[in-house]
Amino acid sequence: MTTPRIDYQAVFAVTPSPYLLLSPDLVIVAANEAYLRATGRTREELIGRYLFAVHPDNPADPHADGVRNLDASLQRVLQSKRPDTMAVQKYDIPVSGRPGVFRAKWWSPINTPVLGPDGEVRWIIHRVEDMTEFVLTRPSRPRPEDPGGEREAMEAELYTRMRELQRLNEELREAHDRERRTALTLQEAMLHSPDLAEHREIAVRYMPAARSLNICGDWYDVVDLSKDTYTVAVGDVVGHGLEAATIMGMLRSALSAAVRAIYEPGRAMDVLSRYASAFEGALATTAVKAVIDTRHQHITYTSAGHPPPVLSRSDGTVVLLDQATDPPLGVFAGHDQRPQATVSYTPGDTLVLYTDGLIERRGEDIDAGLHRLTDALARHTCLSPDQLADTLLTRLGVANGGRDDIALIVVRL
């Protein structure tokens, strides 16, 4: 059966609920017939104009907060890329043809993002329901002679409670934003690698999940051990949020301290695994660590349940470093020490460590993601570390963030 061609513009025009279509800079690009009827405006008065120039606050109402509330909702949509439902708003609208004259209006709005192929907000659908008649015809107290007065009073009370809920939600968002800023500051401090500044041949990237609160449990680290050796590591704590970030900081610091005292990465990872077993939130954490010896030109590495590092040769061949893999931290495999393996390299080769958010995709075997990574490395190994890091994120489709967090280290050996 042939699917009929749908004229979405015609569907939008006759949709019974009032709709606006906004650009990301909040310019009106379309309005349906229901919106024109509800606001008494013409398309010429709306299309191509900034939303709040068309619908400013009523200057005669000292308590008007429609612009502030709607703008806050639209900004949340742009940042989160998710729909935002607002409580009923009193938002008076200008009367067409009568400058300075406003008409009292109550609205129930929902703002929904339309994402483009790149995952960015292309448009915002602003849908409203006109609640004015409901609000104005409902008495605040029941009249004795009115048998329906109790029900109407309950409806009026419901509206009042909705407004109070909006106020409480705004306070909650503000508190949440303060907590998020605090957590991000803490996380930035925990991820600080003083030794990284001395390594121009190393590029790092750290990207929280696109729809997360920018607080996550992935980490990276660079530590100088001697004049001829340094170590790089990445790890992945299960989950998101402040708790995962806190566990991340503990484990990262513990591994950094262990490898300074024990140069063998297998033994250092064993110490970290025993430490992780003492914390419930640290169980099932994965990590990989590599010690690079520039004098002898070899890499010694170990992995605790983590995706394998990749060594890209300057001739375009790619090697997965998967010969020293044990279970995640806190899980013991029955032997005394976690394994480690050594591989030689040639100056000009590139070592890449990463977390699973770079390669894993829902409903897809991890080997497909590994193939994309190794193919991208083979094609672009001649790029500088910074250019290569950005190219890998782009080629694997996560330049603007993915479903999971990403930590990435690119080392030009």
Side-chain angles (χ1 to χ4, degrees):
M1 183 179 69
T2 303
T3 303
R5 184 182 180 86
I6 300 174
D7 186 344
Y8 289 101
Q9 187 172 1
V11 173
F12 175 82
V14 300
T15 303
S17 294
Y19 280 86
L20 283 181
L21 190 64
L22 307 173
S23 66
D25 53 0
L26 307 186
V27 171
I28 300 170
V29 296
N32 70 349
E33 295 293 340
Y35 189 89
L36 301 178
R37 289 194 299 270
T39 60
R41 312 303 289 272
T42 65
R43 281 193 172 82
E44 290 72 22
E45 294 175 301
L46 300 177
I47 305 303
R49 299 190 62 192
Y50 179 56
L51 174 64
F52 298 119
V54 174
H55 291 305
D57 276 331
N58 183 354
D61 182 359
H63 303 294
D65 57 4
V67 168
R68 177 175 65 86
N69 295 337
L70 178 55
D71 184 57
S73 172
L74 294 170
Q75 295 305 321
R76 287 194 294 270
V77 170
L78 289 169
Q79 293 173 13
S80 70
K81 304 178 184 178
R82 293 182 178 182
D84 190 82
T85 301
M86 303 176 65
V88 174
Q89 306 287 310
K90 183 179 185 297
Y91 196 150
D92 301 344
I93 61 173
V95 176
S96 183
R98 300 178 62 186
V101 179
F102 283 71
R103 179 173 40 170
K105 281 282 187 177
W106 280 261
W107 307 95
S108 177
I110 300 177
N111 300 304
T112 304
V114 179
L115 304 183
D118 58 357
E120 296 301 310
V121 177
R122 186 67 58 85
W123 315 105
I124 299 176
I125 298 173
H126 172 60
R127 191 193 82 181
V128 293
E129 293 295 339
D130 189 348
M131 306 291 291
T132 306
E133 183 178 356
F134 169 80
V135 173
L136 294 181
T137 59
R138 291 319 191 246
S140 59
R141 295 181 180 178
R143 297 187 297 272
E145 68 276 11
D146 183 2
E150 182 177 355
R151 179 181 62 82
E152 293 172 343
M154 290 178 63
E155 291 172 341
E157 176 67 15
L158 177 61
Y159 169 71
T160 302
R161 289 180 181 273
M162 289 173 65
R163 296 291 292 177
E164 177 66 12
L165 179 60
Q166 179 185 6
R167 184 185 66 81
L168 293 174
N169 278 339
E170 289 176 352
E171 292 180 359
L172 182 61
R173 287 191 184 101
E174 291 174 0
H176 188 270
D177 285 344
R178 287 194 297 271
E179 179 181 344
R180 175 177 169 272
R181 288 193 297 269
T182 300
L184 285 173
T185 301
L186 174 64
Q187 189 175 47
E188 183 177 351
M190 290 189 297
L191 283 173
H192 181 56
S193 294
D195 294 342
L196 180 59
E198 303 301 320
H199 291 273
R200 295 185 178 180
E201 75 282 9
I202 299 178
V204 299
R205 296 292 184 270
Y206 181 77
M207 302 182 67
R211 296 189 176 185
S212 78
L213 298 174
N214 295 326
I215 306 169
C216 62
D218 286 17
W219 84 80
Y220 63 83
D221 199 13
V222 178
V223 177
D224 285 334
L225 301 179
S226 70
K227 182 179 67 174
D228 301 318
T229 59
Y230 62 94
T231 178
V232 292
V234 295
D236 185 357
V237 175
V238 175
H240 304 273
L242 188 55
E243 181 180 1
T246 302
I247 294 294
M248 173 274 287
M250 293 167 55
L251 296 180
R252 180 180 181 270
S253 298
L255 183 56
S256 182
V259 80
R260 281 177 164 90
I262 308 169
Y263 282 18
E264 297 93 334
R267 291 180 59 198
M269 192 71 78
D270 188 55
V271 170
L272 181 65
S273 185
R274 295 179 185 279
Y275 178 72
S277 65
F279 301 94
E280 182 178 352
L283 298 180
T285 294
T286 68
V288 62
K289 175 167 280 293
V291 175
I292 300 165
D293 185 331
T294 60
R295 182 180 179 185
H296 299 96
Q297 297 181 5
H298 63 64
I299 303 165
T300 303
Y301 66 93
T302 187
S303 173
H306 202 82
V310 181
L311 180 61
S312 178
R313 307 287 190 184
S314 55
D315 63 2
T317 58
V318 177
V319 180
L320 294 179
L321 305 188
D322 56 2
Q323 300 303 304
T325 300
D326 236 21
L329 299 179
V331 179
F332 296 96
H335 43 253
D336 294 336
Q337 180 181 320
R338 286 180 175 261
Q340 63 184 42
T342 299
V343 61
S344 61
Y345 71 84
T346 300
D349 291 350
T350 302
L351 176 66
V352 177
L353 281 69
Y354 55 93
T355 53
D356 57 11
L358 181 69
I359 61 171
E360 286 191 349
R361 302 292 179 267
R362 185 175 298 176
E364 179 183 83
D365 190 272
I366 191 173
D367 287 340
L370 279 172
H371 177 73
R372 278 193 297 270
L373 174 60
T374 55
D375 181 66
L377 279 170
R379 291 172 180 268
H380 301 284
T381 189
C382 61
L383 296 177
S384 70
D386 271 309
Q387 292 173 326
L388 182 56
D390 292 335
T391 298
L392 291 178
L393 294 174
T394 300
R395 289 294 300 271
L396 274 74
V398 289
N400 296 304
R403 291 182 175 272
D404 198 4
D405 318 315
I406 299 168
L408 172 65
I409 297 181
V410 176
V411 183
R412 179 60 41 78
L413 300 165

